[in-house]
Coordinates of all heavy atoms in Angstrom, one line a residue:
M17 N -0.1 6.5 9.9 CA 0.0 5.4 8.9 C -1.2 4.4 9.2 O -1.2 3.8 10.1 CB 1.3 4.8 9.0 CG 1.6 3.9 7.9 SD 3.2 3.1 7.9 CE 4.3 4.4 8.4
S18 N -2.2 4.4 8.3 CA -3.1 3.5 8.5 C -3.4 2.7 7.2 O -4.3 3.2 6.3 CB -4.5 4.3 8.8 OG -5.6 3.5 9.1
P19 N -2.8 1.6 6.9 CA -2.9 1.0 5.6 C -4.3 0.2 5.6 O -4.9 -0.1 6.5 CB -1.8 -0.1 5.8 CG -1.7 -0.4 7.3 CD -2.0 0.9 7.9
V20 N -4.6 -0.2 4.3 CA -5.7 -1.1 4.1 C -5.1 -2.5 3.9 O -4.5 -2.7 2.9 CB -6.5 -0.6 2.8 CG1 -7.7 -1.6 2.6 CG2 -7.0 0.8 3.0
V21 N -5.3 -3.2 4.9 CA -4.7 -4.6 4.9 C -5.9 -5.5 5.0 O -6.7 -5.5 5.9 CB -3.8 -4.8 6.2 CG1 -3.3 -6.4 6.2 CG2 -2.7 -3.9 6.1
K22 N -6.0 -6.3 3.8 CA -7.1 -7.3 3.7 C -6.9 -8.7 4.2 O -7.7 -9.5 4.4 CB -7.7 -7.2 2.3 CG -8.1 -5.9 1.9 CD -8.5 -5.9 0.4 CE -8.9 -4.5 0.0 NZ -9.1 -4.3 -1.4
G23 N -5.6 -9.1 4.2 CA -5.4 -10.5 4.6 C -3.9 -10.6 5.2 O -3.2 -9.7 5.2
P24 N -3.6 -11.8 5.7 CA -2.4 -12.0 6.3 C -1.1 -11.7 5.5 O -0.1 -11.2 5.9 CB -2.4 -13.6 6.6 CG -3.9 -13.9 6.7 CD -4.5 -12.9 5.7
L25 N -1.2 -12.1 4.1 CA 0.0 -11.8 3.3 C 0.3 -10.4 3.2 O 1.4 -9.8 3.2 CB -0.1 -12.4 1.9 CG 0.9 -12.3 1.0 CD1 2.3 -13.0 1.6 CD2 0.7 -13.0 -0.4
Q26 N -0.8 -9.5 3.0 CA -0.7 -8.0 2.9 C -0.1 -7.6 4.2 O 0.7 -6.6 4.2 CB -2.0 -7.4 2.5 CG -2.4 -7.5 1.1 CD -3.8 -6.9 0.9 OE1 -4.7 -6.8 1.7 NE2 -4.0 -6.4 -0.2
L27 N -0.6 -8.1 5.3 CA -0.1 -7.6 6.6 C 1.4 -7.9 6.7 O 2.1 -7.0 7.2 CB -0.8 -8.3 7.8 CG -0.3 -8.0 9.2 CD1 -0.5 -6.6 9.6 CD2 -1.0 -9.0 10.2
Y28 N 1.8 -9.1 6.3 CA 3.2 -9.5 6.4 C 4.1 -8.5 5.6 O 5.1 -8.0 6.1 CB 3.3 -11.0 5.9 CG 4.7 -11.6 6.1 CD1 5.2 -11.9 7.3 CD2 5.6 -11.8 5.0 CE1 6.4 -12.5 7.5 CE2 6.7 -12.4 5.1 CZ 7.2 -12.7 6.3 OH 8.4 -13.3 6.4
R29 N 3.7 -8.2 4.4 CA 4.5 -7.3 3.6 C 4.4 -5.9 4.2 O 5.5 -5.3 4.1 CB 3.8 -7.3 2.1 CG 4.0 -8.5 1.4 CD 3.4 -8.5 0.0 NE 3.6 -9.7 -0.8 CZ 2.8 -10.1 -1.7 NH1 1.7 -9.4 -2.0 NH2 3.0 -11.2 -2.3
Y30 N 3.3 -5.4 4.6 CA 3.3 -4.1 5.2 C 4.2 -4.0 6.5 O 4.9 -3.1 6.6 CB 1.8 -3.8 5.7 CG 1.8 -2.7 6.7 CD1 1.9 -1.4 6.2 CD2 1.5 -2.8 8.1 CE1 1.8 -0.2 7.1 CE2 1.5 -1.7 8.9 CZ 1.6 -0.4 8.3 OH 1.6 0.7 9.2
L31 N 4.3 -5.1 7.3 CA 5.1 -5.0 8.5 C 6.6 -5.1 8.1 O 7.4 -4.4 8.7 CB 4.8 -6.2 9.5 CG 3.4 -6.1 10.1 CD1 3.1 -7.4 10.8 CD2 3.3 -4.9 10.9
L32 N 6.9 -5.9 7.1 CA 8.4 -5.9 6.6 C 8.7 -4.6 6.0 O 9.9 -4.2 6.2 CB 8.6 -7.0 5.7 CG 8.5 -8.5 6.3 CD1 8.7 -9.5 5.1 CD2 9.5 -8.7 7.4
R33 N 7.8 -3.9 5.4 CA 8.2 -2.5 4.8 C 8.4 -1.6 6.0 O 9.3 -0.8 5.8 CB 7.0 -2.1 3.9 CG 7.1 -2.7 2.5 CD 6.2 -1.8 1.6 NE 4.8 -1.9 1.9 CZ 3.9 -2.8 1.6 NH1 4.2 -3.8 0.9 NH2 2.7 -2.7 2.0
C34 N 7.5 -1.8 7.0 CA 7.8 -0.9 8.2 C 9.2 -1.0 8.7 O 9.8 0.0 9.2 CB 6.7 -1.1 9.3 SG 5.1 -0.6 8.9
C35 N 9.7 -2.3 8.8 CA 10.9 -2.6 9.4 C 12.0 -1.8 8.7 O 13.0 -1.4 9.3 CB 11.2 -4.1 9.3 SG 10.4 -5.1 10.5
K36 N 11.9 -1.7 7.3 CA 12.9 -0.9 6.6 C 13.0 0.5 7.0 O 14.1 1.1 6.8 CB 12.5 -1.0 5.1 CG 12.7 -2.4 4.5 CD 12.3 -2.4 3.1 CE 12.4 -3.8 2.5 NZ 12.0 -3.9 1.1
E37 N 12.1 1.1 7.7 CA 12.0 2.5 8.1 C 12.6 2.6 9.5 O 12.9 3.8 10.0 CB 10.7 3.1 8.1 CG 10.0 3.1 6.7 CD 8.6 3.7 6.7 OE1 8.2 4.4 7.6 OE2 7.8 3.2 5.8
L38 N 12.9 1.6 10.2 CA 13.5 1.7 11.5 C 15.0 1.9 11.4 O 15.6 1.5 10.5 CB 13.2 0.3 12.3 CG 11.8 0.0 12.5 CD1 11.6 -1.4 13.0 CD2 11.1 1.0 13.5
P39 N 15.4 2.7 12.5 CA 16.9 2.9 12.5 C 17.7 1.8 12.9 O 17.4 1.1 13.9 CB 17.0 4.1 13.5 CG 15.9 3.8 14.5 CD 14.8 3.2 13.7
G40 N 18.8 1.6 12.2 CA 19.8 0.5 12.6 C 19.5 -0.9 12.2 O 18.3 -1.2 12.2
K41 N 20.5 -1.6 11.8 CA 20.3 -3.0 11.3 C 19.8 -3.8 12.4 O 19.0 -4.7 12.2 CB 21.5 -3.5 10.6 CG 21.4 -4.9 10.1 CD 22.6 -5.2 9.2 CE 22.5 -6.7 8.7 NZ 21.4 -7.4 8.7
N42 N 20.3 -3.8 13.6 CA 20.0 -4.5 14.7 C 18.5 -4.4 15.2 O 17.8 -5.5 15.3 CB 20.9 -4.3 15.9 CG 22.2 -4.8 15.8 OD1 22.5 -5.6 15.0 ND2 23.1 -4.2 16.7
V43 N 17.9 -3.3 15.1 CA 16.6 -3.0 15.5 C 15.8 -3.6 14.2 O 14.8 -4.2 14.6 CB 16.3 -1.4 15.5 CG1 14.8 -1.2 15.7 CG2 17.1 -0.9 16.7
Q44 N 16.1 -3.4 13.0 CA 15.3 -3.9 11.9 C 15.3 -5.5 12.0 O 14.2 -6.1 11.8 CB 16.0 -3.5 10.6 CG 15.8 -2.0 10.3 CD 16.5 -1.6 9.1 OE1 17.0 -2.5 8.3 NE2 16.5 -0.4 8.8
D45 N 16.5 -6.1 12.3 CA 16.5 -7.6 12.3 C 15.8 -8.0 13.5 O 15.0 -9.1 13.3 CB 18.0 -8.0 12.5 CG 18.8 -7.9 11.3 OD1 18.3 -7.6 10.1 OD2 20.0 -7.9 11.4
H46 N 15.7 -7.4 14.6 CA 15.0 -7.8 15.8 C 13.4 -7.9 15.4 O 12.7 -8.9 15.7 CB 15.1 -6.8 16.9 CG 14.2 -7.1 18.1 ND1 14.2 -8.0 18.9 CD2 13.0 -6.4 18.4 CE1 13.3 -8.1 19.8 NE2 12.5 -7.0 19.5
Y47 N 12.9 -6.8 14.9 CA 11.4 -6.7 14.5 C 11.2 -7.7 13.3 O 10.1 -8.2 13.4 CB 11.0 -5.3 14.3 CG 10.9 -4.6 15.6 CD1 11.7 -3.6 15.9 CD2 9.7 -4.8 16.4 CE1 11.6 -2.9 17.2 CE2 9.7 -4.1 17.6 CZ 10.6 -3.2 17.9 OH 10.4 -2.5 19.1
R48 N 12.1 -7.8 12.5 CA 11.8 -8.7 11.3 C 11.7 -10.2 11.9 O 10.8 -11.0 11.5 CB 13.0 -8.7 10.3 CG 12.6 -9.3 8.9 CD 13.7 -9.0 7.9 NE 13.9 -7.6 7.6 CZ 15.1 -7.0 7.9 NH1 16.0 -7.6 8.3 NH2 15.1 -5.7 7.6
H49 N 12.5 -10.5 12.8 CA 12.5 -11.8 13.4 C 11.1 -12.0 14.2 O 10.4 -13.0 14.1 CB 13.6 -12.1 14.4 CG 13.6 -13.4 15.1 ND1 13.9 -14.6 14.5 CD2 13.3 -13.6 16.4 CE1 13.8 -15.5 15.4 NE2 13.5 -15.0 16.5
A50 N 10.7 -11.0 14.9 CA 9.5 -11.0 15.7 C 8.2 -11.2 14.8 O 7.4 -11.9 15.0 CB 9.3 -9.8 16.5
I51 N 8.3 -10.6 13.6 CA 7.2 -10.7 12.7 C 7.1 -12.1 12.1 O 6.0 -12.7 12.1 CB 7.4 -9.6 11.4 CG1 7.2 -8.3 11.9 CG2 6.5 -10.0 10.4 CD1 7.7 -7.2 11.0
R52 N 8.2 -12.6 11.7 CA 8.2 -14.0 11.2 C 7.7 -15.0 12.3 O 7.0 -16.0 12.0 CB 9.7 -14.4 10.8 CG 10.1 -13.7 9.5 CD 11.4 -14.1 8.9 NE 11.7 -13.4 7.7 CZ 12.8 -12.8 7.6 NH1 13.7 -12.6 8.4 NH2 13.0 -12.1 6.4
Q53 N 8.3 -14.9 13.6 CA 7.8 -15.8 14.6 C 6.3 -15.7 14.8 O 5.6 -16.7 15.0 CB 8.5 -15.4 15.8 CG 10.0 -15.8 16.0 CD 10.1 -17.3 16.0 OE1 10.5 -17.9 14.9 NE2 9.9 -17.9 17.1
S54 N 5.9 -14.4 14.8 CA 4.3 -14.2 15.1 C 3.6 -15.0 14.0 O 2.5 -15.5 14.2 CB 4.0 -12.8 15.1 OG 2.7 -12.5 15.3
F55 N 4.0 -14.9 12.7 CA 3.3 -15.5 11.6 C 3.3 -17.0 11.7 O 2.4 -17.6 11.3 CB 3.8 -15.0 10.2 CG 3.1 -13.8 9.7 CD1 3.4 -12.5 10.3 CD2 2.0 -13.9 8.8 CE1 2.8 -11.4 9.9 CE2 1.4 -12.7 8.4 CZ 1.7 -11.5 8.9
R56 N 4.4 -17.5 12.1 CA 4.5 -19.0 12.3 C 3.5 -19.4 13.4 O 2.8 -20.5 13.3 CB 5.9 -19.4 12.7 CG 6.9 -19.3 11.5 CD 8.3 -19.8 11.9 NE 9.2 -19.6 10.8 CZ 10.3 -18.8 10.9 NH1 10.6 -18.3 12.1 NH2 11.1 -18.6 9.8
V57 N 3.4 -18.7 14.5 CA 2.6 -19.0 15.6 C 1.1 -19.0 15.1 O 0.4 -19.8 15.6 CB 2.7 -17.9 16.8 CG1 1.6 -18.2 17.8 CG2 4.1 -18.3 17.4
H58 N 0.8 -18.0 14.3 CA -0.6 -17.9 13.9 C -0.9 -18.5 12.5 O -2.1 -18.4 11.9 CB -1.1 -16.5 13.8 CG -1.0 -15.8 15.2 ND1 -1.9 -16.1 16.1 CD2 -0.2 -14.8 15.7 CE1 -1.5 -15.4 17.2 NE2 -0.5 -14.6 17.0
A59 N -0.1 -19.4 12.0 CA -0.2 -19.9 10.6 C -1.5 -20.8 10.5 O -2.1 -20.8 9.4 CB 1.1 -20.6 10.2
D60 N -1.8 -21.5 11.5 CA -2.9 -22.4 11.4 C -4.3 -21.9 11.9 O -5.3 -22.5 11.9 CB -2.6 -23.6 12.3 CG -2.5 -23.3 13.8 OD1 -2.3 -22.1 14.1 OD2 -2.5 -24.2 14.6
E61 N -4.4 -20.5 12.0 CA -5.6 -19.8 12.5 C -6.5 -19.9 11.3 O -6.1 -19.4 10.1 CB -5.2 -18.4 12.8 CG -6.5 -17.7 13.5 CD -6.9 -18.3 14.7 OE1 -6.0 -18.3 15.6 OE2 -8.1 -18.6 14.8
D62 N -7.8 -20.2 11.4 CA -8.7 -20.3 10.3 C -10.0 -19.7 10.6 O -10.8 -19.6 9.8 CB -9.0 -21.9 10.0 CG -9.6 -22.7 11.1 OD1 -9.7 -22.1 12.2 OD2 -9.9 -23.8 10.9
D63 N -10.1 -19.0 11.8 CA -11.4 -18.3 12.1 C -11.2 -16.8 11.5 O -10.3 -16.0 11.9 CB -11.6 -18.2 13.6 CG -12.7 -17.4 14.0 OD1 -13.6 -17.2 13.1 OD2 -12.8 -17.0 15.2
P64 N -12.0 -16.5 10.6 CA -11.9 -15.1 9.9 C -11.9 -14.0 10.8 O -11.3 -13.0 10.7 CB -13.1 -15.1 8.9 CG -13.5 -16.5 8.6 CD -13.1 -17.2 9.9
Q65 N -12.8 -14.1 11.9 CA -12.9 -13.0 12.8 C -11.7 -12.8 13.7 O -11.1 -11.8 13.9 CB -14.2 -13.3 13.8 CG -14.4 -12.0 14.7 CD -15.7 -12.3 15.5 OE1 -16.2 -13.4 15.5 NE2 -16.2 -11.3 16.0
R66 N -11.0 -14.0 14.1 CA -9.8 -14.0 14.9 C -8.7 -13.5 13.9 O -7.8 -12.7 14.5 CB -9.5 -15.5 15.3 CG -8.2 -15.6 16.0 CD -8.2 -14.9 17.4 NE -7.0 -15.1 18.2 CZ -6.2 -14.0 18.5 NH1 -6.7 -12.9 18.6 NH2 -5.0 -14.3 19.2
I67 N -8.6 -13.8 12.8 CA -7.6 -13.3 11.8 C -7.6 -11.8 11.7 O -6.7 -11.2 11.8 CB -7.7 -13.9 10.4 CG1 -7.4 -15.4 10.5 CG2 -6.9 -13.3 9.4 CD1 -7.7 -16.2 9.2
Q68 N -8.9 -11.2 11.6 CA -9.1 -9.7 11.6 C -8.6 -9.1 12.9 O -8.0 -8.1 12.8 CB -10.4 -9.3 11.3 CG -10.9 -9.6 9.8 CD -10.0 -9.0 8.8 OE1 -9.6 -7.8 9.0 NE2 -9.5 -9.7 7.9
Q69 N -8.9 -9.9 14.0 CA -8.4 -9.3 15.3 C -6.9 -9.2 15.3 O -6.2 -8.2 15.8 CB -8.9 -10.0 16.4 CG -10.3 -9.9 16.8 CD -10.8 -11.0 17.8 OE1 -10.1 -12.0 18.1 NE2 -12.0 -10.7 18.5
I70 N -6.2 -10.2 14.9 CA -4.8 -10.4 14.9 C -4.3 -9.3 14.0 O -3.2 -8.6 14.3 CB -4.3 -11.8 14.3 CG1 -4.7 -12.7 15.4 CG2 -2.8 -11.8 14.1 CD1 -4.6 -14.2 15.0
I71 N -4.8 -9.1 12.8 CA -4.4 -8.0 11.9 C -4.5 -6.7 12.5 O -3.5 -5.9 12.4 CB -5.2 -8.1 10.5 CG1 -4.7 -9.4 9.7 CG2 -5.0 -6.8 9.7 CD1 -5.6 -9.6 8.5
Q72 N -5.6 -6.4 13.1 CA -5.8 -5.1 13.7 C -4.8 -4.9 14.7 O -4.2 -3.7 14.9 CB -7.3 -4.9 14.3 CG -7.5 -3.7 14.8 CD -7.5 -2.5 13.8 OE1 -7.9 -2.8 12.6 NE2 -7.0 -1.4 14.2
R73 N -4.6 -5.9 15.6 CA -3.6 -5.7 16.7 C -2.2 -5.5 16.2 O -1.5 -4.6 16.6 CB -3.6 -7.0 17.7 CG -2.6 -6.9 18.8 CD -3.0 -5.7 19.6 NE -1.8 -5.5 20.6 CZ -1.8 -5.9 21.9 NH1 -3.0 -6.4 22.4 NH2 -0.8 -5.6 22.7
A74 N -1.8 -6.3 15.1 CA -0.4 -6.1 14.6 C -0.3 -4.7 14.0 O 0.8 -4.2 14.1 CB -0.4 -7.2 13.5
I75 N -1.4 -4.1 13.4 CA -1.1 -2.8 12.8 C -1.0 -1.8 13.9 O -0.2 -0.8 13.9 CB -2.4 -2.5 11.9 CG1 -2.4 -3.3 10.6 CG2 -2.4 -1.0 11.5 CD1 -3.6 -3.3 9.8
E76 N -1.9 -1.9 15.0 CA -1.7 -1.1 16.1 C -0.3 -1.1 16.8 O 0.3 -0.1 17.1 CB -2.7 -1.3 17.1 CG -4.2 -1.0 16.8 CD -5.2 -1.6 17.8 OE1 -4.8 -2.2 18.8 OE2 -6.4 -1.5 17.5
D77 N 0.2 -2.3 16.9 CA 1.6 -2.6 17.5 C 2.6 -1.9 16.5 O 3.5 -1.3 17.0 CB 1.9 -4.0 17.7 CG 1.0 -4.7 18.8 OD1 0.4 -3.8 19.6 OD2 0.9 -5.9 18.9
A78 N 2.4 -2.1 15.3 CA 3.4 -1.5 14.4 C 3.4 0.0 14.4 O 4.4 0.6 14.4 CB 3.1 -2.0 12.9
N79 N 2.3 0.6 14.4 CA 2.2 2.1 14.6 C 2.8 2.5 15.8 O 3.5 3.4 15.8 CB 0.7 2.5 14.5 CG 0.1 2.3 13.1 OD1 0.8 2.3 12.1 ND2 -1.1 2.2 13.0
W80 N 2.7 1.8 16.9 CA 3.3 2.2 18.3 C 4.9 2.1 18.1 O 5.5 3.0 18.5 CB 2.7 1.2 19.3 CG 3.4 1.6 20.6 CD1 2.9 2.5 21.5 CD2 4.6 1.0 21.2 NE1 3.7 2.6 22.7 CE2 4.8 1.6 22.5 CE3 5.5 0.0 20.8 CZ2 5.8 1.3 23.3 CZ3 6.5 -0.2 21.6 CH2 6.7 0.4 22.9
V81 N 5.4 1.0 17.5 CA 6.7 1.0 17.3 C 7.3 2.1 16.5 O 8.3 2.7 16.8 CB 7.1 -0.5 16.7 CG1 8.6 -0.5 16.3 CG2 6.8 -1.5 17.7
M82 N 6.6 2.4 15.3 CA 7.0 3.4 14.5 C 7.1 4.7 15.1 O 8.0 5.5 15.0 CB 6.2 3.4 13.2 CG 6.3 2.2 12.4 SD 7.8 1.7 11.8 CE 8.3 2.9 10.6
Q83 N 6.1 5.0 16.0 CA 6.0 6.3 16.6 C 7.1 6.3 17.7 O 7.7 7.4 17.9 CB 4.6 6.4 17.5 CG 3.5 6.8 16.4 CD 3.7 8.0 15.7 OE1 4.1 9.0 16.3 NE2 3.4 8.1 14.4
K84 N 7.4 5.3 18.4 CA 8.4 5.1 19.4 C 9.8 5.6 18.8 O 10.5 6.4 19.4 CB 8.6 3.8 20.0 CG 9.8 3.5 20.8 CD 9.7 2.1 21.3 CE 11.1 1.6 21.9 NZ 11.1 0.2 22.2
Y85 N 10.1 4.9 17.7 CA 11.4 5.3 17.1 C 11.4 6.8 16.4 O 12.4 7.3 16.2 CB 11.9 4.3 16.0 CG 12.3 3.0 16.8 CD1 11.5 1.9 17.0 CD2 13.5 3.1 17.3 CE1 12.0 0.9 17.8 CE2 14.1 2.0 18.1 CZ 13.3 0.9 18.3 OH 13.7 -0.2 19.0
K86 N 10.3 7.2 16.0 CA 10.2 8.6 15.4 C 10.5 9.7 16.5 O 11.2 10.6 16.3 CB 8.9 8.9 14.9 CG 8.7 8.3 13.4 CD 7.4 8.7 12.8 CE 7.2 8.0 11.4 NZ 5.8 8.3 11.0
K87 N 10.1 9.4 17.8 CA 10.3 10.2 18.8 C 11.7 10.3 19.2 O 12.2 11.2 19.7 CB 9.4 9.9 20.1 CG 8.0 10.2 19.9 CD 7.1 9.7 21.1 CE 5.7 10.0 20.8 NZ 4.9 9.5 21.9
Q88 N 12.4 9.2 19.0 CA 13.8 9.0 19.4 C 14.8 9.8 18.5 O 15.9 10.1 18.8 CB 14.3 7.6 19.5 CG 13.6 6.9 20.7 CD 14.2 5.4 20.8 OE1 15.1 5.0 19.8 NE2 13.8 4.7 21.7
K89 N 14.3 10.2 17.3 CA 15.2 10.9 16.3 C 15.6 12.3 16.8 O 15.0 13.0 17.4 CB 14.5 10.9 15.0 CG 14.5 9.6 14.3 CD 14.0 9.7 12.9 CE 14.2 8.4 12.2 NZ 13.7 8.4 10.8

């Protein structure tokens, strides 16, 4: 899964959609909370290069989590 995410809002939506694919409500709630917390922490970021780094890292982390739960099935 390699989405085209151009900005923070698209990233946020993408990550929340990924949460819906995770097994169990507790797991989904945990990652949904983590996503919201991360966005709050980075809300005041204004350096475009740093924003792209954050987006790239978030996508990599989301892919890792999705693979982790696919292997458990």
Side-chain angles (χ1 to χ4, degrees):
M17 195 180 313
S18 181
V20 177
V21 175
K22 297 177 184 168
L25 185 58
Q26 285 180 323
L27 175 64
Y28 187 73
R29 289 177 180 158
Y30 167 74
L31 294 175
L32 290 180
R33 281 192 303 271
C34 286
C35 281
K36 292 179 183 178
E37 297 177 25
L38 296 172
K41 182 167 175 18
N42 290 340
V43 174
Q44 291 176 4
D45 289 345
H46 168 77
Y47 284 105
R48 198 174 297 118
H49 177 75
I51 291 165
R52 289 183 179 128
Q53 288 293 102
S54 182
F55 271 81
R56 286 184 188 119
V57 167
H58 297 293
D60 61 346
E61 189 66 56
D62 59 358
D63 179 18
Q65 188 174 15
R66 176 71 179 130
I67 291 169
Q68 287 305 313
Q69 289 174 340
I70 293 168
I71 289 171
Q72 185 63 38
R73 178 61 192 260
I75 292 170
E76 290 170 5
D77 290 348
N79 289 339
W80 182 85
V81 169
M82 297 304 289
Q83 289 299 317
K84 173 182 163 183
Y85 283 100
K86 281 183 184 177
K87 289 179 184 177
Q88 289 183 359
K89 284 186 178 181

